[in-house]
Amino acid sequence: ILFCLAKLFLAGAPPGPPAGTVWLFTLENFQGKEVQTSGNVNNFKTLGVNDQVSSLRVAEGFEAEVFTDSDFR
């Protein structure tokens, strides 16, 4: 048992999502198809959720700015 605990301790926690991660959901209340992204996305069509995003989550400590149209318009 001590070996297993030591191994888990040395391995550390599993890596979290990349900094600035945003999760997009096609339904309200974080339901439906989920897409994870980070960085600039100038068109949700490339993620397969164009005109379908109904809710989103933003990684703690970050903000997201969402536009109505592609190319940040």
Side-chain angles (χ1 to χ4, degrees), residues 60-73:
E60 185 177 341
F62 291 86
E63 296 179 359
E65 187 172 2
V66 181
F67 297 86
T68 304
D69 297 313
S70 63
D71 296 321
F72 312 108
R73 298 179 281 134

Side-chain angles (χ1 to χ4, degrees), residues 17-18 20-31 33-38 44 53-66:
T21 297
V22 175
W23 295 266
L24 308 168
F25 300 87
T26 57
L27 299 176
E28 295 177 5
N29 298 316
F30 318 114
Q31 301 294 312
K33 180 180 178 180
E34 175 185 339
V35 176
Q36 179 180 325
T37 187
S38 60
F44 285 173
V53 176
S54 294
S55 57
L56 61 90
R57 286 191 175 161
V58 180
E60 185 177 341
F62 291 86
E63 296 179 359
E65 187 172 2
V66 181

